[in-house]
Amino acid sequence: AIADYENGNWESYASHFSDTAKIYYNTSEKHMSPKESAVGLAEGTAGFSSYGFLKDKGDIEMVVTDDGDTWVNFWGEWQATLAENNQTLDIPVHLTAQFVDGKIVREHGYWDTSTMMTATMALEAAKKAEDMEVQNDSIAPGD
């Protein structure tokens, strides 16, 4: 699923989940379906010229709980480059997924969204400043 995410192969990404899987990203209340997750991730990565997990900064483990449930935990560092200004973002990520019969039936993902939000707000502010400069340049004195 991670390789398909990194390659933007959204149909294959969704195939790693059961049809009834519940996916929770940075919430414990509202879940998404595999299709909703794939669409959201595709939209969320569209503004990056590159994105993915650093290969040397992560760990994966599989555990079987006392109840016999199989979970896979992933800790990694996600890195992306904004297409508009080539700014690089580094964000630690934790994913934990429950598997039944080789499919993910439940997944929780946690990461700090403030780095991305700050970068997006800075891009918007720069665009507004540029637009204001263009407007000021187009208004001649005495107009």
Side-chain angles (χ1 to χ4, degrees), residues 25-104:
Y25 293 144
N26 288 319
T27 183
S28 60
E29 306 207 0
K30 187 174 187 305
H31 69 271
M32 294 179 279
S33 70
K35 186 174 185 174
E36 290 168 326
S37 173
V39 167
L41 291 170
E43 290 172 357
T45 56
F48 298 108
S49 58
S50 66
Y51 66 91
F53 291 96
L54 299 177
K55 303 302 179 223
D56 61 342
K57 292 195 175 184
D59 202 6
I60 297 175
E61 73 171 354
M62 184 179 81
V63 297
V64 178
T65 68
D66 292 343
D67 294 331
D69 296 331
T70 300
W71 287 82
V72 174
N73 294 299
F74 169 79
W75 296 268
E77 186 171 329
W78 181 82
Q79 186 174 79
T81 303
L82 287 166
E84 280 195 55
N85 65 2
N86 290 324
Q87 179 182 355
T88 300
L89 306 176
D90 289 289
I91 301 173
V93 172
H94 172 61
L95 302 172
T96 186
Q98 182 183 16
F99 283 77
V100 173
D101 297 329
K103 296 278 188 173
I104 300 168

Side-chain angles (χ1 to χ4, degrees), residues 1-43:
I2 289 173
D4 285 331
Y5 164 80
E6 291 178 321
N7 293 321
N9 190 346
W10 303 115
E11 188 174 320
S12 182
Y13 165 83
S15 75
H16 296 279
F17 295 82
S18 74
D19 292 339
T20 58
K22 294 181 179 178
I23 303 165
Y24 301 84
Y25 293 144
N26 288 319
T27 183
S28 60
E29 306 207 0
K30 187 174 187 305
H31 69 271
M32 294 179 279
S33 70
K35 186 174 185 174
E36 290 168 326
S37 173
V39 167
L41 291 170
E43 290 172 357

